[in-house]
Amino acid sequence: MSWRPQYRSSKFRNVYGKVANREHCFDGIPITKNVHDNHFCAVNARFLAIVTESAGGGSFLVIPLEQTGRIEPNYPKVCGHQGNVLDIKWNPFIDNIIASCSEDTSVRIWEIPEGGLKRNMTEALLELHGHSRRVGLVEWHPTTNNILFSAGYDYKVLIWNLDVGEPVKMIDCHSDVILCMSFNTDGSLLATTCKDKKLRVIEPRSGHVLQEASCKNHRVNRVVFLGNMKRLLTTGVSRWNTRQIALWDQEDLSMPLIEEEIDGLSGLLFPFYDADTHMLYLAGKGDGNIRYYEISTEKPYLSYLMEFRSPAPQKGLGVMPKHGLDVSACEVFRFYKLVTLKGLIEPISMIVPRRSDSYQEDIYPMTPGTEPALTPDEWLGGINRDPVLMSLKEGYKKSSKMVFKAPIKEKKSVVVNGIDLLENVPPRTENELLRMFFRQQDEIRRLKEELAQKDIRIRQLQLELKNLRNSPKNC
């Protein structure tokens, strides 16, 4: 019997990828050559941020979206970190606030001036110290303002309340490096993948692991919550080293609902999910393909739609938030592709072909907007609330009126769960260990000298006191 493909009716079956013209790309950017498995790119409705190659510390560019074309080599940078920048994320509620994390163990919050940078920025709005190893991931809470999550190579996830500038919770359930973090729609659950080959669903405020999967056949790398479907999707590698995706029920991680092999390439698969259209995009690091699928709650769950192909390999991809899309062109998703070899950032628009120029209600439902649903104190107090929705027809050009206010920090210790995270921070490299050893030896030598001199002074004072008592005047 001959094999026949199964076709199903879908409004997204003919979605196609459209690459921007060269004049609408960003050219001449020294994209970082760091091999860390992150996107090194973040985008919102106003700015594009890219981690760049730099000597003597870490830096990233922030470019206004309208400033396309060739970027000058001396373009101003954000360059306050002492180590390579590993991840950057824009605040979902305040357009000009961006978080960065680095190999220097710090997380920093930066405020980008209106119109972009005019000179190099070295002073952060807020410096957050609490990790004892380099910090590989940062994620903003999806519904709460000023709550930031960071994951470090010390195997810990810290939850920062930026209203006070301190970590308020520590999740310490991982036994190896955390590879990925993803929130469900209201931010009440956190899914993580870890180098120990386990997938976890965690209640972030308590740190309790609600579900855990030991992925022996499917070694997980990345995870994403599929909106309100109570499903998780992971990308990873099968036992035969082929790239693979798996779909899970978030309330039962004993076995995946489905596993599907993609191809035999070696690059990491990055998953992106659009909850409005129920479309899943899979982009491979090191290749130029972006596959897209439609997700449903009934079998077969995953329906292949089409594939965007490009000969230029991608190092990472930034994703434009929904309120920054061009609804007049029926654009439902937009990537910003990092092409390292060319120093190029290339916008790729995913478009639903429609003949009508009018607003398409069916492909643009109400979507999470730029207003937070909760304050940090409300969320930390146990309240969960769905995102505040907005219509792209009326308000997609409205900018948020929120302003970030950095707290005044006087406290020097960082205590979480009764542990001071800044006390006795271990060295990260052998050179640091040697420097710390020699510093301690010098300190011990200095203290011994001080102690010896104090002993001599005490004996002198004792003799003087004895002489005073024995003198004839006191008889």
Side-chain angles (χ1 to χ4, degrees):
M1 188 173 74
S2 63
W3 179 85
R4 294 180 181 178
Q6 292 183 350
Y7 292 105
R8 58 191 293 276
S9 174
S10 170
K11 67 184 82 168
F12 303 110
R13 192 157 59 87
N14 295 314
V15 168
Y16 66 95
K18 182 181 179 182
V19 182
N21 297 329
R22 189 65 183 241
E23 60 266 23
H24 294 122
C25 297
F26 300 85
D27 200 0
I29 296 172
I31 300 168
T32 180
K33 295 174 184 174
N34 195 308
V35 295
H36 191 71
D37 285 330
N38 267 348
H39 293 294
F40 301 111
C41 176
V43 63
N44 64 15
R46 290 174 59 194
F47 297 108
L48 171 69
I50 311 104
V51 179
T52 58
E53 191 69 13
S54 62
S59 65
F60 58 95
L61 286 173
V62 176
I63 307 167
L65 283 183
E66 62 273 9
Q67 194 174 331
T68 55
R70 188 157 192 86
I71 305 300
E72 295 299 322
N74 58 351
Y75 194 87
K77 295 182 177 70
V78 179
C79 50
H81 282 286
Q82 278 78 51
N84 290 328
V85 175
L86 298 181
D87 198 13
I88 48 176
K89 293 281 166 53
W90 288 106
N91 187 318
F93 309 115
I94 310 175
D95 281 344
N96 65 332
I97 298 294
I98 188 168
S100 64
C101 63
S102 165
E103 289 182 350
D104 65 8
T105 75
S106 72
V107 178
R108 303 191 185 204
I109 310 298
W110 309 86
E111 184 177 24
I112 307 302
E114 193 73 28
L117 299 176
K118 305 301 179 189
R119 61 183 66 85
N120 284 352
M121 179 179 282
T122 55
E123 292 296 320
L125 203 60
L126 201 56
E127 290 187 23
L128 307 173
H129 296 277
H131 288 282
S132 59
R133 294 283 191 276
R134 58 182 173 168
V135 188
L137 295 169
V138 286
E139 289 287 345
W140 295 92
H141 193 274
T143 61
T144 310
N145 189 36
N146 286 348
I147 290 287
L148 182 73
F149 286 61
S150 64
Y153 276 61
D154 52 6
Y155 314 156
K156 294 177 176 61
V157 177
L158 294 182
I159 305 175
W160 303 87
N161 180 356
L162 302 187
D163 281 355
V164 295
E166 299 291 344
V168 287
K169 301 284 180 183
M170 179 172 68
I171 301 171
D172 191 11
C173 61
H174 299 87
S175 59
D176 211 323
V177 176
I178 300 146
L179 301 175
C180 183
M181 297 189 290
S182 177
F183 290 99
N184 64 344
T185 305
D186 64 1
S188 60
L189 296 175
L190 173 70
T192 64
T193 57
C194 184
K195 218 170 180 179
D196 62 9
K197 302 177 185 176
K198 289 184 179 179
L199 168 66
R200 295 174 174 87
V201 175
I202 302 164
E203 204 292 313
R205 283 166 292 214
S206 64
H208 292 152
V209 179
L210 305 179
Q211 290 286 328
E212 185 177 280
S214 293
C215 309
K216 295 177 181 176
N217 298 333
H218 170 76
R219 298 197 302 274
V220 293
N221 287 319
R222 291 290 182 272
V223 62
V224 62
F225 265 102
L226 301 182
N228 288 322
M229 289 187 178
K230 295 194 173 180
R231 298 278 192 270
L232 293 163
L233 185 125
T234 58
T235 66
V237 182
S238 72
R239 60 169 69 183
W240 296 282
N241 284 335
T242 56
R243 296 199 292 192
Q244 192 180 50
I245 58 175
L247 189 68
W248 308 77
D249 182 346
Q250 77 177 37
E251 294 176 353
D252 181 13
L253 299 184
S254 56
M255 285 288 290
L257 297 173
I258 57 167
E259 287 181 353
E260 188 169 316
E261 292 191 4
I262 303 300
D263 56 32
L265 299 178
S266 60
L268 187 73
L269 271 180
F270 292 116
F272 303 91
Y273 181 66
D274 182 358
D276 296 342
T277 60
H278 304 299
M279 285 179 67
L280 170 75
Y281 300 86
L282 294 179
K285 183 179 180 180
D287 59 70
N289 302 341
I290 301 174
R291 298 171 177 85
Y292 35 105
Y293 302 77
E294 193 168 14
I295 305 280
S296 61
T297 52
E298 300 174 353
K299 289 185 178 180
Y301 303 121
L302 202 64
S303 303
Y304 175 77
L305 294 173
M306 212 179 288
E307 182 176 1
F308 168 82
R309 294 188 178 184
S310 167
Q314 57 223 6
K315 183 180 180 69
L317 292 160
V319 174
M320 173 63 75
K322 277 285 178 169
H323 59 273
L325 299 178
D326 183 3
V327 296
S328 62
C330 295
E331 183 185 34
V332 291
F333 217 72
R334 190 192 303 162
F335 293 102
Y336 284 78
K337 173 179 171 178
L338 276 64
V339 186
T340 311
L341 297 175
K342 299 179 181 178
L344 183 71
I345 311 294
E346 193 176 61
I348 302 170
S349 298
M350 312 307 292
I351 294 173
V352 179
R354 294 282 172 94
R355 292 179 181 175
S356 172
D357 292 334
S358 61
Y359 180 73
Q360 307 292 313
E361 297 275 359
D362 59 329
I363 61 174
Y364 294 116
M366 297 284 282
T367 191
T370 56
E371 297 297 324
L374 292 165
T375 65
D377 290 339
E378 287 174 334
W379 183 77
L380 291 167
I383 300 173
N384 294 318
R385 203 171 288 158
D386 285 333
V388 178
L389 302 181
M390 66 188 292
S391 169
L392 298 185
K393 183 178 182 179
E394 301 295 337
Y396 78 99
K397 290 295 182 188
K398 290 181 182 176
S399 59
S400 174
K401 296 178 182 178
M402 300 195 66
V403 177
F404 182 83
K405 292 182 180 178
I408 299 170
K409 296 180 70 174
E410 298 176 356
K411 198 176 170 184
K412 294 297 180 185
S413 62
V414 178
V415 180
V416 178
N417 297 354
I419 302 169
D420 190 346
L421 298 177
L422 294 184
E423 186 180 8
N424 300 324
V425 176
R428 297 181 295 278
T429 64
E430 189 176 343
N431 287 336
E432 285 188 19
L433 180 65
L434 287 170
R435 283 199 297 270
M436 184 177 285
F437 171 75
F438 289 126
R439 278 200 304 269
Q440 287 177 344
Q441 291 298 309
D442 290 340
E443 183 72 8
I444 290 168
R445 196 178 299 113
R446 186 183 63 79
L447 290 171
K448 281 182 177 178
E449 289 174 359
E450 279 187 16
L451 191 61
Q453 294 199 357
K454 284 180 180 176
D455 283 341
I456 293 169
R457 180 64 178 156
I458 287 168
R459 284 199 295 271
Q460 287 176 344
L461 290 171
Q462 285 174 337
L463 285 171
E464 287 179 12
L465 186 61
K466 190 175 180 180
N467 291 335
L468 282 170
R469 285 174 179 168
N470 295 333
S471 64
K473 293 179 182 178
N474 293 333
C475 294

